[in-house]
Amino acid sequence: MKRIVLVVLLFTSVFSVGAQGFEWTDRQESLQAGLGQTIRIPIRIKNTSDRAQFFIIRKAQADLGSNQKGYFCLGDECFDPGLDQFSKRIEPGETVSNLYFTVETGLVTTLNSFRFE
């Protein structure tokens, strides 16, 4: 019998007053994956300001089990699992649509929570 792993995502927007020129788009609150699968959690950010901005997306919480891995990927280029944040310059009106947090689910049924700032 195949068990299902439920992944719950919590997104937090942290910014200073006057620097609110962005929005999270196409946000998914929860995802499900089977055992031993790899899922890609999309992180889509749109620069709504009239100037280019430098954004840092920080993994604030990632409750991963001992046999699971989680890491950022930009398109097909994936980064070291120890990397807790990703930064990118985004032009006015541009939406970053190829940034993902990838999770290798492992072989144990679990419930995961993630939070990004």
Side-chain angles (χ1 to χ4, degrees):
M1 174 187 247
K2 190 172 187 178
R3 294 187 180 181
I4 298 296
V5 176
L6 175 64
V7 180
V8 178
L9 307 177
L10 302 173
F11 290 92
T12 305
S13 301
V14 176
F15 44 82
S16 62
V17 175
Q20 298 179 20
F22 75 95
E23 66 183 41
W24 294 94
T25 63
D26 300 328
R27 209 166 70 177
Q28 292 182 318
E29 295 297 326
S30 65
L31 298 169
Q32 291 185 2
L35 298 175
Q37 290 186 327
T38 300
I39 59 171
R40 295 176 67 155
I41 302 166
I43 301 173
R44 305 223 186 332
I45 301 171
K46 181 175 183 177
N47 181 353
T48 59
S49 75
D50 59 354
R51 60 186 170 91
Q53 294 193 26
F54 189 76
F55 291 93
I56 298 173
I57 297 88
R58 182 173 294 118
K59 178 176 59 176
Q61 174 187 344
D63 297 328
L64 293 170
S66 61
N67 66 344
Q68 296 177 316
K69 290 183 187 174
Y71 45 88
F72 287 103
C73 294
L74 184 63
D76 292 328
E77 180 183 0
C78 294
F79 304 100
D80 184 84
L83 182 71
D84 288 336
Q85 64 185 25
F86 178 84
S87 57
K88 179 158 178 54
R89 177 186 165 100
I90 305 174
E91 297 300 320
E94 180 184 3
T95 300
V96 174
S97 60
N98 61 347
L99 177 61
Y100 301 91
F101 188 74
T102 303
V103 178
E104 295 177 13
T105 61
L107 299 175
V108 177
T109 301
T110 186
L111 174 65
N112 301 94
S113 295
F114 300 95
R115 188 178 66 187
F116 301 94
E117 298 177 331

